[in-house]
Amino acid sequence: MIQHLLSTRDLDREAAIRILDVAEDMAQTADREVRKLPPLRGKTVVNLFFEDSTRTRLSFESAAKRLSADVITFSAKGSSVSKGESLKDTAQTLAAMGADAIVVRHHDSGAAHQLAHAGWIDAAIINAGDGTHEHPTQALLDAFTMRSRRHGADSRGRGLDGLRVAIVGDILHSRVARSNVWLLTTLGAEVHVVAPRTLLPHGIEHWPVTVHEHLDDALAAAPGAVMMLRIQTERMRDAFFPSSREYAREWGLTAERMTQLGPDTMVMHPGPMNRGLEISSAAADSSASTVLDQVTNGVSIRMAVLYLLVAGSSETADSTGGER
Ligand code: NCD
């Protein structure tokens, strides 16, 4: 197993499926009367958030607590980071506190990589979103959601072979899109992308994807799942499209487009959603929508990742067993 989780590019098919399978075990424990499991007892997990986050931070916090870890959540606002303390000083402080894992979200692409490899701290580093680069646990929870909807209780050991998925919208700024492209490809899915030209990254022709010009073409090519991305206005300094109305009409999953989707097409969104812009309420609240499943599955995936990175090296028996 890998030592850190920085990018889905670092996961081969076997490692990716192992995480999904362990998450499956973790999901089953959610139905137990006592949900808490012992494997991270005595371990310290630090959530280090330099960027705003609701669901990712809560999800990691809940995952670490369910595994009995001590959890410290550290948000940069109101901390010494806002007084100019460097990532290095912060890391060394956390090392001195004995952190076993650091879950980091940072506005700079590459921050998680730097924490893992600069030699400042000897802890497992989990990238919870670095700039526009990657967000590997989001892609894993998306893959888990697709696999469960597709195969139900018969998911274990499987990839996503032959599943055709469309990723739609602000691909330029999306770490979710990048992590998904690599992971979906590793798992055997076929990825289609579509966006206004201004929101496609340079070099996309080198990605393992088919690029479409029109949303309706992409939807027709990808009956498996359609993943709508948030328009990330906070990362935009220029106007990338004429108006919100125009964007919703050309690139949004409107109520009308919903009627064109096949009966088994999953409608996905990582959240937070801009309702009425990239996704209509008719789509977000439909029975095809996996938005809330994605949130639920996020906890299981993060439990699996924490378990494999922090406890996995010292425990070999089944992941959800009782006291040892
Ligand atoms: C994503 C993120 O932060 O990259 N959200 C999330 O983790 N749930 C996507 C987004 O912000 O649009």
Side-chain angles (χ1 to χ4, degrees):
M1 196 55 205
I2 51 167
Q3 194 188 348
H4 306 288
L5 181 60
L6 306 176
S7 159
T8 52
R9 284 192 202 231
D10 299 335
L11 299 173
D12 60 19
R13 183 180 168 102
E14 192 190 344
I17 290 178
R18 169 105 173 100
I19 296 172
L20 301 184
D21 287 354
V22 173
E24 197 88 46
D25 294 341
M26 297 299 175
Q28 277 169 15
T29 67
D31 304 329
R32 291 189 190 170
E33 200 171 322
V34 179
R35 287 177 167 191
K36 229 173 163 104
L37 306 169
L40 297 196
R41 200 157 45 197
K43 305 281 189 186
T44 300
V45 175
V46 178
N47 281 326
L48 180 58
F49 277 66
F50 293 85
E51 250 188 18
D52 292 339
S53 165
T54 311
R55 68 203 79 211
T56 304
R57 187 171 53 75
L58 292 177
S59 181
F60 269 110
E61 219 171 279
S62 156
K65 286 182 176 161
R66 295 254 299 267
L67 294 171
S68 306
D70 293 322
V71 185
I72 302 173
T73 295
F74 180 98
S75 55
K77 277 185 193 146
S79 73
S80 298
V81 172
S82 56
K83 297 180 193 158
E85 192 168 66
S86 68
L87 186 59
K88 177 176 175 180
D89 290 327
T90 307
Q92 287 177 331
T93 304
L94 299 177
M97 287 177 182
D100 296 290
I102 299 185
V103 176
V104 60
R105 169 166 288 197
H106 199 282
H107 37 79
D108 289 339
S109 303
H113 192 271
Q114 194 177 22
L115 262 188
H117 297 296
W120 302 326
I121 184 167
D122 180 26
I125 306 298
I126 300 170
N127 183 4
D130 62 326
T132 59
H133 179 226
E134 285 229 27
H135 191 357
T137 58
Q138 179 70 42
L140 284 160
L141 75 88
D142 291 336
F144 184 90
T145 304
M146 293 179 213
R147 197 177 77 153
S148 314
R149 278 245 172 164
R150 203 175 183 209
H151 298 293
D154 193 26
S155 291
R156 231 173 275 266
R158 291 180 187 264
L160 294 170
D161 301 287
L163 189 75
R164 288 186 274 157
V165 180
I167 304 181
V168 183
D170 189 357
I171 294 169
L172 179 64
H173 300 108
S174 180
R175 50 201 180 200
V176 174
R178 284 170 183 74
S179 286
N180 261 292
V181 166
W182 316 130
L183 182 65
L184 286 168
T185 306
T186 299
L187 290 173
E190 183 184 301
V191 185
H192 296 258
V193 300
V194 64
R197 212 173 288 254
T198 49
L199 290 176
L200 284 174
H202 290 297
I204 195 157
E205 61 279 8
H206 303 302
W207 294 16
V209 300
T210 306
V211 182
H212 296 267
E213 262 188 60
H214 301 289
L215 176 54
D216 293 322
D217 296 342
L219 296 180
V226 47
M227 186 180 294
M228 304 307 296
L229 298 174
R230 183 174 67 88
I231 290 290
Q232 301 196 22
T233 43
E234 78 278 18
R235 298 190 204 276
M236 295 181 185
R237 255 162 267 122
D238 303 312
F240 284 82
F241 47 87
S243 69
S244 300
R245 184 192 295 248
E246 172 77 2
Y247 187 88
R249 195 168 57 79
E250 291 287 327
W251 308 101
L253 194 55
T254 56
E256 200 213 325
R257 285 204 172 93
M258 275 303 285
T259 64
Q260 296 165 25
L261 297 186
D264 298 324
T265 308
M266 297 172 240
V267 172
M268 311 185 74
H269 194 301
M273 295 183 277
N274 292 310
R275 284 175 185 260
L277 184 56
E278 73 266 0
I279 190 164
S280 61
S281 285
D285 302 330
S286 71
S287 58
S289 167
T290 61
V291 171
L292 294 177
D293 293 345
Q294 289 169 265
V295 176
T296 307
N297 295 336
V299 178
S300 306
I301 280 291
R302 286 159 182 141
M303 286 173 80
V305 168
L306 285 168
Y307 171 79
L308 288 166
L309 292 186
V310 183
S313 49
S314 51
E315 303 203 12
T316 47
D318 92 295
S319 41
T320 58
E323 303 276 329
R324 265 182 278 267

